[in-house]
Amino acid sequence: MNEIVQTELKKIFNGRFSTSESTRANYARGEDTYDPILSKAVVFPETNEEVSQLLKLCNEHKIPVVPFGTGTSLEGHVVGNQNGITISLEKMNKVLSVNAEDFDCRVQANVTRKQLNEYLREDGVFFPIDPGADAALGGMAATSASGTMAVKYGTMRTVISGLTVVLPNGDIIKTGARTKKTSAGYNLTNLFIGSEGTLGIITEVQLRLSPIPESIMSAVCYFPDLDSAVKASQEVIQYGVPIARIEMLNKDQMDISINYSKLKDIKTLPTLFFEFHGTEISNKESIKIVEEISKNNNGSAFKWADTLEERNHLWRARWDVYYSVKALVDNGRVYSTDVCVPISKITECVKFAEEEVKKFGLRAPMVGHLGDGNFHVLFPYDPKDKTVYKKIREFSDLLIDKTLDLEGTITGEHGVGLHKKSYLLKEHPDNIPVMKTIKRSLDPNNIMNPGKIFDIN
């Protein structure tokens, strides 16, 4: 980055441009397993026009850029570029409009899901996509995130109807519409969802909202073994029960979560967390069916969260899983798998993972969004211990091969980033040339988050 560029950036951003080592270090990586890489500078735009000016300048001088939201990504998406600039979108954090009567809203990229739901509290609507972390909605769009309620409400692809994107050359485009449907041209909205900052910077997101349910009921159910828990969840979905969440924690993760989140009167057994959204009558009907299915798979009686406080505490324990595992090792990191398979294959895939973990002799708590066939094996480890990391990666390779054999996908919700580039080649070898053609067309100078998803050369 030459002096001309620095001078121009200082003029545009007026104090919101930093080359200090401490600032660069704060934006050098996410919640991933990579060592931090410091970019040459960090910039903090506030408007679409400022992002446009920045990208025009970087494109002209062929300077790489790395978009940065809240830094909660797990696959290396926001690892810095030693020759480039990190663009923090943290100042673009405004809710721009809410149309409760149409069940939609428009937000800037760094509005977080919790911030949005707090803003919507009095409107009778809510934003349902819950990845656990309080992630930025622009980042969630960029990685096609989902989480605990995807079984009922879908993923970010389901709830996004339009985007504002700044292209590498600085052009600002708006995709999609506020309407329920549109047939107007190519689906550019879905092109940018999941693009992980490699095609442009998402600065605004048009979102579909959901009505707040009349009745929300949460419970846990214990099982004697993980196989029984997974089979129960599979049968619930195959029976067609309209459930909002089915989350699985294995015995090891329950033990970790009980201690970390200070849960009371909870057993250290493989557990399913259930949540039902609907009317009181519909919820009672659904609960009756799910209780029967659980009982047939040796599940315990349901333990209910009777108050809002108890329900929030219960789900807080689920949301804190990543950090509970990370706390097991001083200065440790967590390697998280993210495979997703057709629902009929989920029992086989989880069983395979459980058996392989034992063979490797690794500690690997497991959690899963079993309602949509997605689960995570979490490996806490010391980054200095290369032997353990090698074992983890060998396990991951085997799990990926099994997943693809079962017609699953290498990532259900975390994205590709740096971590899964080799796995993407296994899943979609025929798609990579097409992806590269699109990338070269929109970003001929390869400035947008280079090296993520795939290598251009």
Side-chain angles (χ1 to χ4, degrees):
M1 183 171 58
N2 59 43
E3 288 186 16
I4 296 173
V5 173
Q6 285 205 46
T7 301
E8 189 65 24
L9 289 174
K10 286 175 182 176
K11 187 191 305 181
I12 296 169
F13 291 98
N14 188 26
R16 290 177 282 116
F17 167 84
S18 177
T19 56
S20 78
E21 185 172 349
S22 60
T23 300
R24 291 185 294 136
N26 286 337
Y27 298 88
R29 63 184 285 257
E31 291 285 354
D32 48 62
T33 62
Y34 290 91
D35 292 331
I37 295 177
L38 278 62
S39 297
K40 293 288 187 186
V42 183
V43 182
F44 302 87
E46 293 180 343
T47 65
N48 296 334
E49 289 70 29
E50 285 186 345
V51 176
S52 173
Q53 286 179 280
L54 173 59
L55 289 189
K56 279 180 184 175
L57 190 64
C58 288
N59 196 45
E60 181 184 345
H61 292 271
K62 297 181 172 58
I63 297 170
V65 295
V66 179
F68 194 103
T70 55
T72 55
S73 64
L74 296 173
E75 305 294 346
H77 304 101
V78 297
V79 170
N81 186 298
Q82 61 188 3
N83 299 312
I85 293 172
T86 290
I87 302 174
S88 170
L89 298 168
E90 64 189 60
K91 294 186 181 296
M92 300 186 72
N93 61 356
K94 296 180 181 64
V95 177
L96 300 174
S97 63
V98 174
N99 308 285
E101 65 275 19
D102 290 323
F103 297 101
D104 74 4
C105 69
R106 193 170 192 89
V107 300
Q108 287 186 310
N110 220 64
V111 172
T112 68
R113 65 176 185 87
K114 287 183 182 178
Q115 178 190 345
L116 177 57
N117 277 327
E118 180 63 25
Y119 190 95
L120 297 171
R121 199 159 44 94
E122 304 298 327
D123 293 313
V125 292
F126 80 115
F127 175 71
I129 308 303
D130 169 18
D134 191 23
L137 294 165
M140 288 170 63
T143 57
S144 191
S146 53
T148 64
M149 290 199 281
V151 63
K152 180 176 177 67
Y153 297 100
T155 70
M156 288 299 282
R157 288 192 191 277
T158 314
V159 300
I160 293 175
S161 60
L163 298 168
T164 299
V165 182
V166 184
L167 300 179
N169 66 359
D171 287 354
I172 301 171
I173 65 168
K174 289 190 176 182
T175 73
R178 281 188 56 213
T179 51
K180 190 79 171 177
K181 60 183 182 179
T182 175
S183 296
Y186 292 172
N187 190 342
L188 295 183
T189 301
N190 266 358
L191 175 63
F192 289 101
I193 297 172
S195 63
E196 301 181 18
T198 63
L199 299 179
I201 296 181
I202 295 169
T203 58
E204 295 176 11
V205 189
Q206 186 76 34
L207 295 165
R208 297 186 178 99
L209 305 173
S210 295
I212 295 174
E214 173 191 312
S215 170
I216 299 176
M217 302 180 73
S218 298
V220 296
C221 181
Y222 309 112
F223 292 82
D225 53 70
L226 188 58
D227 198 42
S228 298
V230 179
K231 282 180 180 175
S233 67
Q234 180 178 320
E235 289 173 15
V236 168
I237 297 303
Q238 290 174 332
Y239 199 88
V241 180
I243 196 165
R245 309 195 224 212
I246 309 180
E247 292 292 300
M248 173 273 287
L249 276 65
N250 74 346
K251 182 179 179 180
D252 194 14
Q253 183 58 59
M254 284 301 295
D255 184 43
I256 295 166
S257 291
I258 287 167
N259 291 321
Y260 183 85
S261 300
K262 298 178 174 56
L263 296 177
K264 295 178 181 178
D265 302 321
I266 297 291
K267 296 179 181 178
T268 307
L269 286 169
T271 304
L272 293 182
F273 289 51
F274 294 112
E275 188 162 278
F276 303 86
H277 291 186
T279 64
E280 287 192 21
I281 293 173
S282 67
N283 277 350
K284 285 178 181 178
E285 291 174 351
S286 297
I287 288 165
K288 185 178 179 181
I289 296 169
V290 175
E291 283 182 320
E292 188 65 31
I293 291 172
S294 299
K295 184 180 177 181
N296 290 342
N297 284 281
N298 301 312
S300 69
F302 280 20
K303 176 179 172 55
W304 293 97
D306 294 321
T307 67
L308 176 61
E309 184 179 6
E310 287 177 344
R311 189 171 77 234
N312 287 343
H313 189 55
L314 192 66
W315 287 106
R316 168 53 56 195
R318 171 60 188 89
W319 293 323
D320 285 344
V321 157
Y322 176 86
Y323 299 104
S324 73
V325 174
K326 191 174 182 180
L328 295 173
V329 180
D330 288 340
N331 298 313
R333 294 180 186 173
V334 178
Y335 186 111
S336 173
T337 69
D338 177 39
V339 298
C340 187
V341 294
I343 194 66
S344 64
K345 306 293 185 182
I346 187 66
T347 302
E348 182 180 349
C349 198
V350 172
K351 188 173 184 178
F352 173 85
E354 187 179 32
E355 289 172 351
E356 290 300 318
V357 162
K358 290 176 183 175
K359 291 178 185 176
F360 279 94
L362 295 165
R363 184 171 194 186
M366 297 169 88
V367 299
H369 317 304
L370 296 188
D372 52 23
N374 185 203
F375 72 98
H376 313 292
V377 187
L378 306 173
F379 295 94
Y381 72 100
D382 183 341
K384 296 175 184 175
D385 192 335
K386 304 302 181 186
T387 303
V388 170
Y389 184 83
K390 185 182 177 189
K391 282 186 178 181
I392 292 170
R393 193 69 184 190
E394 286 174 3
F395 165 85
S396 181
D397 292 346
L398 290 172
L399 181 59
I400 289 295
D401 288 342
K402 179 66 174 177
T403 298
L404 295 178
D405 285 345
L406 296 174
E407 300 181 285
T409 179
I410 62 166
T411 173
E413 58 188 4
H414 293 169
V416 177
L418 293 170
H419 242 160
K420 293 186 166 66
K421 289 198 292 186
S422 62
Y423 296 157
L424 183 64
L425 282 167
K426 285 187 175 184
E427 182 176 351
H428 289 307
D430 53 337
N431 289 9
I432 300 295
V434 180
M435 293 182 192
K436 287 183 178 182
T437 299
I438 294 169
K439 168 76 169 172
R440 290 190 182 106
S441 175
L442 292 177
D443 184 18
N445 292 322
N446 193 27
I447 67 165
M448 294 303 312
N449 219 4
K452 313 293 170 63
I453 305 184
F454 51 79
D455 295 312
I456 196 69
N457 297 316

